[in-house]
Amino acid sequence: MPNLLDELPYPWHKKEAQQLHITLCQISPAVNNTVLAAEKSNIDTSQIFTNQAVYMVWVEILNFAAAHGQLRILIKDMYDRLPPTSPARPFLEELLANKTAVPDAEPRGMNGAPVFIKGTDDIFDNEALLYRDDLTLQTGRVLSLIATLQKMMALSPAICRLTVNINGSEQYGTAFRIGPDLLLTNWHVLHRIHDGLPASAVTAEFGYEEDSTGGALAAIPVKCDVATIVTDKTNDWAVIKTSGAMDNAWPVIKLSEAVAPQLNAAAYIIQHPRGYRKRIGFIRNQVSDFDNRVVHYLTDTQEGSSGSPVFDQEGKLFALHHAGGRPQEVLGRPPMTKNEGISILRVVLDLQNKGVVFS
C-alpha cells in the first residue's frame, strides 16, 4: 500500500490523510504564514485562493502538492520547522518514514470539522473578543495563576493516556481516575467510530510525561478490563475499570465535587494531545457558551485530548472534553479554536442512572 505522501490525488478518504490536514492547520493556523510555508517548499501559491479559512487553504495546498509531486517535500519542510517538543512531530515522523501512523479517535467531518453536539466550531465575534490582544498579565493576578497551576499539578497524576486496541488497530485518548479502579473517558475513545466496534484491549499509562528539563519520564502501564466498559454514545462518555494495580498516590477526581460551568471563566485542560506526553492547556482558555448538556471553551487541544477533564481555576471539574475545533482567525485576533465538552453534571446524572459507583 503506497504511503499517503506519495499518492495521487491526495487520499482524502484515508484517516491518516484527514489527520495530516488538521495537523497542518494546528502547526500553521494563520493564512499568511501558511502561504509563506508553502512558498518555501517551492509550491506555486498563485494558484491557491487565500481569501478563505486556513483549513480550506490547506486543502488546496495539499491537493496541489500531491498533484505536482511536492507533498513529501512540503511535509519534510514543515517537520524541520517544528520545535523538538511539538506533539505533531511523532505523527509526521511516522509518515516520513513510511510507517503506519496511529490515528486519533476523535471523529471529524468534512474539512476536518469536529462533530459537535451543539452548533459548530465556528467562532463568533463575541467569542473572538474574549481574547486579549496580548498575553501579559496584571501583576496582581500572578499569585492567583500560580495557585491554580499548583492545583493542576496536584491533580495531574490522576490523568492518563489510553492506548486502545480495536480488532487489531490502535487509537489514543485521555482518561482520568474517578474511583479506586474506575476511569472516565469518551465513548469514541473506546469504540471505533464508523461501526461502533468496542475496544478489545485497553492500557492506561500513568505518568506519561516529562520532567522539568524536558526529559521523558518512565510511565506506569495499567491494564484495563474491557468487560467492565459502561458507555453512553449520545453524551459521548465511557467508564472502564482497571485490572492492574493502581498507585494510591494517584488522586481520584471526585465527581461528587463537580461544579457547573461559568460564562467567561477559565477552562484548564490536562490532556495527552495526539497521545503525546501530558500537557496543560491554560492560555486563552475561557468558557464562551454552555447549556445543561455541553460547554464550549477556547482552550488549545488536539486529537488525543478526547476524554480529558476540564477544570475551573479552583481545580473543580466541570466538563469532559470530547471535540476540538479548527484554528480560525476572527476580528484580527490570533488564530483560536473552539472546543466542546460534555457538562460533567450531565455525565454524573447518566452514571447514576446506570448504577455506576464513583467517588
Side-chain angles (χ1 to χ4, degrees), residues 137 140-151 268 282:
L137 182 69
R141 297 177 59 190
V142 171
L143 291 179
S144 175
L145 176 59
I146 291 173
T148 294
L149 293 178
Q150 288 174 333
K151 291 172 184 175
Y268 295 84
F282 71 100

Side-chain angles (χ1 to χ4, degrees), residues 23 82-92 272-277 279 302-303:
T23 297
L82 289 175
T85 58
S86 170
R89 285 182 70 91
F91 174 66
L92 297 188
H272 284 282
R274 296 201 174 280
Y276 199 65
R277 296 183 184 274
R279 296 191 170 210
Q302 295 182 21
E303 295 84 350

